Amino acid sequence: MLRIVIVANLLLGGSTATCNGVNMDKWECPKSWTSGGSAPHDAKDAKAFVALHNIFRCMHDVQAVQWDSDVHSGAKKWAEHTGESMTHSQGGTGYRKKGDGENLAGTFKFSKHPGVDATHMWYEEIWNPCGWKKSCYQSFSAGHMTAMIWKSINKIAYSDTTGKLAVGRYRDCLGNGPNMMGEYKKMVPPQKYNWASCANKVLNQCSAFSGVHKDDVEGCGKQSAAWSKNGMHMVYPQKCSKLYDRGGTASGGTASGGTGKPATKYSYVKGSVECKSDDHWLGKGFTVESCASAVEAAGGKFFIFGKGSGFQKGRCYVEKSSGPDCPEGYEKDEYNFYKLTSSRLRLNIETNIESNIISGDQHFSAVGVGSLAVAGVAFVAMGVVVRRKTRGSYVAPENNSDEELLESSLE
C-alpha cells in the first residue's frame, strides 16, 4: 500500500510530501554520501556515482539519495551471477528485494568511472528519445531516468564485477519501488534548476561529497585517452550544462515553465529522401521541432524526419553528412532532409552499449502483463548506438536490424 504522509505547510499555504520525516519534494544535502560502508572494489567510483545522482535529483528538486550497503549487496550478488550477460534479476529473491528498481548498462574496463558512465547513459533519456517532453519522460518511455529521479528513492548502489556490466539498484522509502503505473507525473517532476547550479550545490556546498570534483562526475566533459579506446568513448565531448539544461533555472529561482532555451532553428533542404551518410537514430514519436532540438542537443548538424503515416512517421535521425547538400548522395525514402541553422558543440558518441531496466514489481501486474515482473523490458540506451542504415528498405527483426534491436521487446 502506498503511504505518503502529507504535512500541512501553513507558511506556504500548501502541502509537503514526506517519507520517514524527510521532505521528498526538496533536495537537501545529506549528512553523508553513504548510510554505512565505503566504496567497494566492484564500484570504484561509488561516491561520484552517488554525487552525480544527487546533481540530477537536485535539478528536479527531489530528496537526496545515499549509498546503501544492503542495496549494494544485492546488486553485487546479481552482478556476480549474471556476469557479462545483460539479464535482469527477479524481484523478491536473494538477488533483488521485492520493489527494488534495477538499471543495467554495458561498461568498459578501461573507464575510470563506470558508475558515472552508466548514470549518464540512463539519465540522457530525458532528451533522447524524449526531447524534454513531459509526456515522454514522465512515463516508462524513459524508464532508466525515471528510476533515478523517482522522488521516494533514497537508497542506491551499483556493482560492476566484470568491468563490462553495471547493475544499478534503487530502493525507496515507501517500500514500493520506482516506475509505478499512474504515479509518474507525481513522482517525476520536471527540471527546476540547471546543471551548473546543482553541480555547485552538490560538489562545493555539500560536505558529504568533499573530494568529488567536477571532472569526476561530468561524463559530458573533456575526454582523456584513458577513457577512450577503439573509437568508443565513455564520456561526452560536450558540457553537461549544454546537454541537460532544458527548463531549469539557477538553483533558488523559479522554473520557467518553457524550454528555458530559444527554439532550435532549422531549415528544410530536400523532401522524400535520406542521405547515404551514416546516421544516428534518436527515437520515434517526434515532431520535426522536437527532432531538431534533440539533434542540436546531440551535436548534430543535419537530420532526417519521417513523414507520412507508415513506419517512418515521427522517426528522427542525425545524418552524419559532410555537408548540407549531402555530397554522399541522396536516395528516395519517406523522410525529409533538414539542416540546423544554429547548432551547438558536436557530440561524437561512438559506443555500442546496451541499457536495461526493471522496476517495482507491482508496476507490471498493474498493466496486466505480470510476466514482465520477472523478465523486465529490454531497452537499448538510445543515445549511444551508432548504426549504418540498411539501404532501400528496413530489414526484418529476424535479420538483426540494429534499429529493430533498439526497439527490442522482451528478454
Side-chain angles (χ1 to χ4, degrees):
M1 178 178 179
L2 187 65
R3 293 175 296 168
I4 298 180
V5 180
I6 305 299
V7 180
N9 187 329
L10 299 179
L11 291 176
L12 297 179
S15 62
T16 302
T18 66
C19 184
N20 297 331
V22 176
N23 183 358
M24 296 192 295
D25 292 317
K26 183 175 178 58
W27 187 89
E28 294 180 335
C29 173
K31 293 180 180 179
S32 172
W33 72 274
T34 174
S35 62
S38 56
H41 68 87
D42 55 300
K44 54 189 175 183
D45 62 337
K47 191 172 182 179
F49 172 81
V50 177
L52 180 56
H53 273 75
N54 275 284
I55 292 173
F56 288 134
R57 291 177 69 84
C58 166
M59 290 167 66
H60 293 259
D61 205 20
V62 294
Q63 71 168 322
V65 291
Q66 292 179 302
W67 181 269
D68 185 81
S69 57
D70 185 60
V71 176
H72 168 257
S73 177
K76 183 180 179 182
K77 286 179 182 177
W78 185 247
E80 291 175 334
H81 177 80
T82 194
E84 299 174 14
S85 173
M86 190 166 292
T87 306
H88 281 297
S89 59
Q90 182 175 347
T93 68
Y95 291 115
R96 182 170 62 89
K97 289 189 175 180
K98 186 175 178 65
D100 280 6
E102 179 177 274
N103 282 2
L104 304 178
T107 58
F108 293 95
K109 290 183 178 180
F110 54 80
S111 174
K112 291 183 177 180
H113 43 47
V116 166
D117 296 331
T119 302
H120 280 290
M121 283 186 264
W122 296 327
Y123 186 80
E124 78 166 8
E125 287 175 341
I126 194 171
W127 67 266
N128 179 13
C130 286
W132 294 278
K133 293 164 57 180
K134 287 194 290 185
S135 60
C136 179
Y137 73 74
Q138 288 179 331
S139 76
F140 199 67
S141 296
H144 304 90
M145 172 264 179
T146 57
M148 291 173 54
I149 303 302
W150 203 262
K151 69 182 181 182
S152 59
I153 296 296
N154 64 346
K155 296 178 180 180
I156 65 172
Y158 92 93
S159 177
D160 183 1
T161 57
T162 62
K164 293 188 177 182
L165 182 71
V167 178
R169 290 285 174 85
Y170 299 87
R171 182 173 297 170
D172 80 340
C173 57
L174 301 171
N176 296 301
N179 294 356
M180 302 294 292
M181 285 294 291
E183 299 292 322
Y184 285 94
K185 290 183 179 179
K186 179 171 65 176
M187 303 303 279
V188 186
Q191 285 185 5
K192 187 175 181 181
Y193 305 126
N194 63 31
W195 167 273
S197 62
C198 283
N200 180 59
K201 227 178 191 183
V202 173
L203 303 181
N204 300 326
Q205 299 177 23
C206 182
S207 60
F209 298 104
S210 61
V212 180
H213 305 290
K214 189 176 180 181
D215 286 348
D216 297 322
V217 299
E218 190 159 86
C220 324
K222 62 184 181 180
Q223 288 188 6
S224 162
W227 300 339
S228 176
K229 186 176 182 181
N230 298 328
M232 296 184 293
H233 305 299
M234 290 298 289
V235 292
Y236 302 98
Q238 185 179 33
K239 292 297 182 184
C240 293
S241 58
K242 294 284 189 182
L243 191 62
Y244 294 128
D245 288 351
R246 290 296 186 280
T249 65
S251 183
T254 304
S256 65
T259 63
K261 297 280 185 181
T264 302
K265 296 180 180 179
Y266 61 93
S267 61
Y268 173 90
V269 177
K270 194 173 180 67
S272 300
V273 297
E274 59 174 292
C275 189
K276 291 182 180 179
S277 62
D278 285 351
D279 61 21
H280 176 172
W281 188 52
L282 296 182
K284 59 183 180 179
F286 284 85
T287 63
V288 66
E289 291 82 8
S290 63
C291 178
S293 295
V295 169
E296 182 181 35
K301 295 180 180 179
F302 316 107
F303 67 98
I304 56 172
F305 177 73
K307 61 178 188 174
S309 58
F311 173 84
Q312 293 89 344
K313 181 181 178 181
R315 291 173 178 264
C316 179
Y317 299 85
V318 175
E319 281 285 8
K320 296 187 172 183
S321 176
S322 57
D325 55 350
C326 181
E328 297 84 1
Y330 291 111
E331 59 186 359
K332 291 184 178 181
D333 209 335
E334 291 299 305
Y335 292 92
N336 291 335
F337 185 78
Y338 298 85
K339 66 178 180 180
L340 297 187
T341 55
S342 62
S343 65
R344 290 195 260 276
L345 295 175
R346 188 166 182 80
L347 180 62
N348 180 27
I349 303 177
E350 297 289 343
T351 61
N352 185 15
I353 305 162
E354 295 184 50
S355 293
N356 290 351
I357 183 171
I358 192 167
S359 305
D361 304 281
Q362 302 95 325
H363 166 91
F364 302 108
S365 58
V367 293
V369 281
S371 61
L372 293 180
V374 177
V377 175
F379 275 70
V380 174
M382 297 179 187
V384 293
V385 177
V386 176
R387 71 178 185 89
R388 181 178 291 274
K389 286 194 297 291
T390 301
R391 301 301 172 193
S393 60
Y394 291 90
V395 298
E398 59 266 28
N399 291 333
N400 294 323
S401 161
D402 289 339
E403 178 163 339
E404 296 296 338
L405 291 174
L406 281 169
E407 301 176 71
S408 56
S409 53
L410 303 183
E411 287 189 327

